[in-house]
Amino acid sequence: METTVLKNEMSCKACGALQTFKPGTLKLICQYCKAETDIAQAGHVEIIENNLEEFLAKHVEESEKIVVTTIQCEACGATSTVNPKIAADRCPFCATTFVLKNGSSSSVYKPQYVLPFGIDNKKALENFRGWLKSLWFAPNELKHYVDRADRLSGMYLPFWTFDAQTETSYSGERGTDHTRSENYTDSNGRSQSRSVTYTTWQDVSGNVSDTFDDILIEASNTLPKQKLRALEPWDLKNVVTYSDQYLSGFRSENYQVDLPAAYVEGKGRMKDAIVSTIHRDIGGDRQRIHSMSTDYHKPTFKYILLPVWISAFQYQKKIYQFIINARTGEVQGSRPYSVTKIVLAAIAGIVIAITLWAISN
């Protein structure tokens, strides 16, 4: 097993100040003199998929690791990398301020690939503001919350991807709809006729094949999966070979879901697609599946990092998280409602209704 030290900071060769990754490029930029440096070996990448069965047989412990400095938030339990040179910070997942006295170094599995940040903080804030403006009855505190640029934290989140070819045998029924005329007596005692739809069923069985590429599974439980999946699609064909230079100036979260567990979940996402394939293969107007058995051939995987801008807003003792796809700008999140605005809107609606009634009478 090889272990390397993760360097979240890069020094400018011109002035010695901090260089950070510049979103939308393959360069580092100095935060003081603005000098830019090309990232070594950036460019076209030949993506290598790992044979899942061979990897598990050799044990994941043999994989290359890196050393990172992390801290666990006492409020929400999230663990993320931190700059070891600063004394205090704010948790990007729940907005709680913490002191970095409990930061620790640990060895974690090295990601194979990373999808670099495509949009910067300025563009992310612009999209965030646009999303907030679309929210009805949002509290004024939230509207003003985004006015400060430091409200967003750049974060790389861990993911597993899976590829596989599947063969599925199934049994079920094909339903065909028919219509017929039916006589009946209405409530007035008159004879009427109407069309009625009925279904006839036929036993069927068969075999279907599916090919899956880059089935994405979250390697963390910190953020809601529903919101993370709403950020899809990701342009995974543009991943680059992992380098700590892409992480300079940003945080990353360590994976919490191991490979075997992630593969089980990946099969779940594949199953949904397989069921759709079976429905198409059965045909007819309606389908029933009684049994299905799937073989997974040549499953492969990758361990990657994907970029998001993340923020957390505390309102009336509840935490609301916002996530922005740092490639497309897609915004997802939970939102609070202002009870005062809802009550005022309801009162205004009642006043308008009464006024219109008075005018009409």
Side-chain angles (χ1 to χ4, degrees):
M1 177 190 71
E2 181 180 351
T3 301
T4 57
V5 178
L6 176 63
K7 300 176 181 178
N8 279 335
E9 295 186 349
M10 307 293 165
S11 298
C12 175
K13 295 181 180 179
C15 67
L18 173 66
Q19 279 194 317
T20 60
F21 176 70
K22 183 178 180 182
T25 72
L26 295 177
K27 299 176 180 291
L28 298 172
I29 184 170
C30 177
Q31 297 302 299
Y32 180 74
C33 72
K34 305 304 179 183
E36 295 186 356
T37 303
D38 291 331
I39 293 179
Q41 298 179 344
H44 175 72
V45 175
E46 181 181 358
I47 299 176
I48 299 174
E49 303 284 349
N50 305 291
N51 185 292
L52 178 64
E53 295 170 348
E54 291 182 2
F55 187 85
L56 292 178
K58 294 180 179 179
H59 304 294
V60 70
E61 286 77 9
E62 298 179 7
S63 299
E64 183 179 357
K65 294 186 177 182
I66 53 178
V67 176
V68 297
T69 300
T70 62
I71 189 168
Q72 184 174 32
C73 176
E74 295 181 357
C76 70
T79 300
S80 60
T81 58
V82 293
N83 181 345
K85 295 182 179 180
I86 60 178
D89 204 347
R90 181 166 47 89
C91 176
F93 296 100
C94 71
T96 299
T97 300
F98 49 64
V99 178
L100 302 185
K101 61 182 180 180
N102 296 323
S104 61
S105 296
S106 59
S107 296
V108 298
Y109 299 115
K110 181 179 179 180
Q112 293 172 260
Y113 302 99
V114 57
L115 188 59
F117 273 73
I119 62 172
D120 59 16
N121 183 286
K122 181 179 179 180
K123 176 62 177 176
L125 280 171
E126 180 183 323
N127 287 21
F128 192 16
R129 290 190 183 97
W131 184 77
L132 290 178
K133 289 180 180 178
S134 69
L135 302 180
W136 286 74
F137 305 121
N140 291 331
E141 294 93 329
L142 179 59
K143 297 289 185 178
H144 298 310
Y145 171 79
V146 74
D147 290 340
R148 289 176 51 185
D150 64 349
R151 294 304 189 187
L152 295 179
S153 298
M155 174 77 68
Y156 282 102
L157 302 180
F159 286 81
W160 302 100
T161 75
F162 296 98
D163 297 354
Q165 296 176 351
T166 63
E167 298 287 340
T168 304
S169 58
Y170 70 87
S171 65
E173 293 178 88
R174 178 190 300 116
T176 303
D177 291 341
H178 307 273
T179 59
R180 64 188 174 197
S181 180
E182 178 181 83
N183 296 323
Y184 72 101
T185 301
D186 65 19
S187 59
N188 296 319
R190 292 191 296 259
S191 295
Q192 304 285 350
S193 64
R194 60 189 172 192
S195 294
V196 178
T197 300
Y198 67 98
T199 304
T200 58
W201 293 94
Q202 177 185 0
D203 290 336
V204 295
S205 61
N207 297 276
V208 297
S209 300
D210 286 278
T211 299
F212 295 97
D213 180 43
D214 286 341
I215 296 296
L216 201 60
I217 298 299
E218 304 79 3
S220 167
N221 295 317
T222 306
L223 295 170
K225 290 184 179 181
Q226 180 184 3
K227 298 300 182 184
L228 288 175
R229 293 185 181 180
L231 295 178
E232 299 177 11
W234 296 87
D235 52 330
L236 299 181
K237 300 303 181 185
N238 292 317
V239 297
V240 296
T241 302
Y242 175 85
S243 168
D244 51 15
Q245 292 177 304
Y246 293 107
L247 274 63
S248 182
F250 298 93
R251 292 182 176 183
S252 64
E253 187 182 18
N254 300 331
Y255 84 88
Q256 302 158 9
V257 179
D258 63 18
L259 182 59
Y263 184 47
V264 170
E265 191 169 350
K267 285 183 175 180
R269 295 197 77 172
M270 294 181 199
K271 181 180 179 180
D272 293 338
I274 293 171
V275 167
S276 295
T277 301
I278 293 175
H279 281 174
R280 291 193 298 270
D281 194 61
I282 290 176
D285 300 306
R286 304 174 191 275
Q287 303 82 31
R288 292 173 177 168
I289 300 175
H290 297 318
S291 67
M292 54 185 288
S293 177
T294 301
D295 293 324
Y296 297 83
H297 303 292
K298 301 179 180 178
T300 60
F301 77 95
K302 299 188 300 295
Y303 175 36
I304 65 175
L305 299 179
L306 298 183
V308 298
W309 290 101
I310 184 173
S311 187
F313 174 67
Q314 292 190 21
Y315 180 69
Q316 296 184 346
K317 299 183 179 181
K318 186 175 180 180
I319 297 171
Y320 298 88
Q321 295 172 323
F322 310 102
I323 319 166
I324 303 172
N325 182 319
R327 298 289 295 187
T328 66
E330 171 70 23
V331 182
Q332 291 291 325
S334 55
R335 50 78 49 89
Y337 288 87
S338 170
V339 176
T340 301
K341 288 186 177 182
I342 293 175
V343 171
L344 291 176
I347 293 173
I350 294 172
V351 171
I352 293 173
I354 294 174
T355 303
L356 293 175
W357 178 84
I359 294 174
S360 63
N361 290 275

